[in-house]
Amino acid sequence: MLSKSALLSLLGGLTLLASLPMRAEVDGPQLYRQHCAKCHAEDGRANTLRGWLYFAQNLSQAKWQDNNSDNDILDAIQEGPGAMPSYADKLSEAEQLALVKAVRGLRKP
């Protein structure tokens, strides 16, 4: 049988656990800065030296955004077209979807 102090500690831990969100939201913009901005730049315009050297796509162009579905963007994240690395095995599904949302947020008029 548990002592009174052990039981109180257990109940306190369970209460804390129950108060946590079921799943922490993934920070897509932070993932973009960490994995994509080296080539695609912070604003998505691909105006970096690496972007120029590797012919990185300007992700901010409205025309590009209009011509590419979320699935197209997700495929690019997973497969890594051209010199871009594949992130299929490096990022979780939630992280990949958060990156799609972050890329959509780069659209400029």
Side-chain angles (χ1 to χ4, degrees), residues 39-107:
C39 295
H40 293 284
E42 292 273 337
D43 62 2
R45 294 178 191 239
N47 57 354
T48 66
L49 179 59
R50 286 178 78 161
W52 181 77
L53 288 173
Y54 295 115
F55 304 101
Q57 177 62 52
N58 179 342
L59 304 174
S60 70
Q61 290 178 324
K63 184 176 181 178
W64 181 86
Q65 291 268 347
D66 291 343
N67 290 334
N68 288 277
S69 69
D70 288 355
N71 281 334
D72 293 334
I73 297 169
L74 185 59
D75 286 346
I77 291 167
Q78 292 173 342
E79 296 172 17
M84 182 176 148
S86 166
Y87 289 97
D89 296 331
K90 296 175 186 164
L91 299 175
S92 70
E93 182 179 343
E95 290 171 323
Q96 292 173 32
L97 294 174
L99 268 178
V100 170
K101 188 175 178 182
V103 167
R104 288 294 187 202
L106 297 170
R107 181 188 182 111

